[in-house]
């Protein structure tokens, strides 16, 4: 019974290992043939992100107990986000004082002049959009999150009987069920997509970017094992650590294969 829980993560890891070998040694014609299979998986995951974020956030807020102080929850969430982001940035910067990952690397930069934006303008562009239709895009996730928060908060005050809140919760569950169905296809999709990535960028990684790549991998592994363990312990002690490592593998393998944290969001919510 215990082994059954790890079948999917094992399949995902085997898919990544097989994709690495195929990407390095298979011909371009074969990679071109299987590449659409990977695109199907990644596109499905990206498609599910927008409705999943909206339904999950709005239903969660709408279904909170009236006695629950939403402002305190949001403040703690924002504070945790800022602190953990700052820690990860510092951890990545420290090795840079001792190792120059750009040594021997020539990067061609577009010579065209870039528009200079103030910090406030960048924040405004990140958390808001100029048209409602632009919310339904994976390129404007922060804006979607802000809108979902406002929608959920407003719903708590307007929908006294929580009818719409319960409906949104059902829609969230439906979307998560779709994610579960898509994940049955994940080993095939991950294999095809990762093989295509390795075929396209493997030679560059093994030549010009090898130092940057190795440094990034080493620091990421150290950060993952040390700091995520600490975060899990702070959240729920030893039980939190066990729960974290028990459920992290599907999200870990999906992010590794797709090179996108956004693509793992449906997997995170499903697990």
């Amino acid at each position: 019974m215990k082994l059954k829980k790890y079948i999917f993560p094992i399949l995902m890891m085997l898919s990544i290992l097989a994709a690495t070998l195929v990407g390095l040694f298979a011909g371009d014609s074969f990679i071109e043939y299987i590449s659409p299979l990977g695109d199907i998986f990644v596109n499905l995951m990206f498609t599910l992100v927008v409705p999943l974020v909206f339904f999950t956030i709005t239903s969660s807020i709408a279904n909170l107990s009236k006695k629950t102080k939403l402002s305190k929850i949001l403040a703690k969430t924002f504070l945790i986000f800022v602190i953990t982001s700052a820690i990860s940035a510092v951890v990545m910067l420290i090795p840079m004082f001792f190792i120059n990952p750009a040594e021997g690397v020539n990067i061609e930069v577009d010579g065209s002049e870039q528009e200079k934006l103030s910090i406030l303008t960048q924040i405004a562009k990140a958390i808001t959009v100029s048209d409602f239709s632009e919310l339904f895009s994976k390129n404007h996730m922060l804006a979607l999150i802000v809108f979902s928060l406002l929608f959920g908060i407003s719903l708590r005050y307007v929908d006294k009987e929580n009818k719409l809140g319960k409906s949104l919760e059902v829609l969230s569950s439906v979307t998560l069920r779709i994610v579960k169905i898509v994940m049955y296809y994940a080993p095939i999709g991950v294999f095809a997509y990762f093989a295509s990535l390795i075929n396209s960028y493997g030679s560059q990684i093994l030549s010009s970017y090898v130092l940057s790549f190795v440094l990034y991998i080493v620091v990421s592994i150290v950060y993952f094992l040390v700091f995520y363990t600490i975060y899990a312990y702070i959240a729920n002690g030893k039980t939190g650590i066990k729960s974290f490592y028990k459920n992290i593998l599907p999200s870990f393998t999906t992010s590794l294969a797709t090179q996108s944290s956004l693509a793992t969001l449906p997997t995170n919510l499903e697990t």
Side-chain angles (χ1 to χ4, degrees):
M1 184 65 70
K2 290 184 178 180
L3 182 62
K4 189 177 180 180
K5 297 179 181 179
Y6 298 99
I7 289 178
F8 178 75
I10 290 172
L11 283 175
M12 292 287 281
M13 292 302 297
L14 289 175
S15 294
I16 293 173
L17 290 173
T20 302
L21 296 175
V22 171
L24 289 173
F25 301 110
D28 292 342
S29 58
F30 178 74
I31 297 298
E32 186 177 351
Y33 180 77
I34 66 170
S35 182
L37 298 176
D39 293 336
I40 290 172
F41 172 70
V42 174
N43 290 341
L44 283 171
M45 297 300 281
F46 281 147
T47 301
L48 289 167
V49 164
V50 170
L52 193 57
V53 167
F54 177 74
F55 293 144
T56 303
I57 292 178
T58 52
S59 64
S60 297
I61 294 175
N63 289 303
L64 280 175
S65 170
K66 299 298 181 182
K67 297 179 180 179
T68 304
K69 291 186 177 181
L70 183 60
S71 58
K72 186 179 292 186
I73 294 175
L74 293 177
K76 287 183 178 179
T77 302
F78 179 76
L79 185 63
I80 291 170
F81 171 76
V82 171
I83 292 174
T84 53
S85 297
I87 291 173
S88 63
V90 171
V91 169
M92 193 68 237
L93 282 173
I94 290 174
M96 303 298 178
F97 291 106
F98 306 98
I99 302 172
N100 181 13
E103 186 177 355
V105 178
N106 294 319
I107 302 175
E108 294 183 4
V109 181
D110 186 3
S112 58
E113 188 175 344
Q114 300 295 321
E115 182 183 3
K116 294 183 179 180
L117 301 175
S118 66
I119 295 177
L120 288 177
T121 302
Q122 294 180 50
I123 293 174
K125 285 181 174 292
I127 65 174
T128 59
V129 291
S130 58
D131 191 271
F132 181 76
S133 62
E134 293 180 13
L135 282 172
F136 302 103
S137 168
K138 63 182 178 63
N139 297 321
H140 301 117
M141 290 307 300
L142 278 177
L144 176 63
I145 290 171
V146 170
F147 177 80
S148 301
L149 288 170
L150 293 174
F151 190 93
I153 292 169
S154 301
L155 194 59
R156 289 189 77 199
Y157 288 100
V158 175
D159 188 14
K160 300 297 183 181
E161 297 181 2
N162 199 29
K163 292 181 179 179
L164 184 55
K166 292 178 180 177
S167 298
L168 288 170
E169 188 174 12
V170 172
L171 290 172
S172 177
S173 299
V174 170
T175 311
L176 285 171
R177 174 58 61 175
I178 297 173
V179 172
K180 194 168 185 177
I181 294 171
V182 172
M183 290 307 292
Y184 286 118
Y185 175 70
I188 298 173
V190 163
F191 167 77
Y193 191 82
F194 198 66
S196 178
L197 283 177
I198 294 296
N199 180 262
S200 300
Y201 302 107
S203 59
Q204 296 179 35
I205 292 173
L206 294 175
S207 56
S208 301
Y209 302 102
V210 64
L211 182 59
S212 302
F213 178 74
V214 171
L215 179 63
Y216 174 76
I217 292 298
V218 170
V219 175
S220 296
I221 291 174
V222 171
Y223 180 81
F224 178 84
L225 294 175
V226 176
F227 287 93
Y228 275 76
T229 302
I230 293 172
Y231 298 152
Y233 182 80
I234 293 173
N236 198 22
K238 292 181 179 179
T239 303
I241 296 175
K242 291 179 181 179
S243 178
F244 173 75
Y245 283 104
K246 180 181 177 181
N247 295 287
I248 192 61
L249 279 177
S251 300
F252 171 77
T253 50
T254 302
S255 63
L256 180 62
T258 61
Q259 303 298 297
S260 171
S261 58
L262 186 59
T264 67
L265 184 56
T267 311
N268 288 333
L269 292 173
E270 198 273 332
T271 54

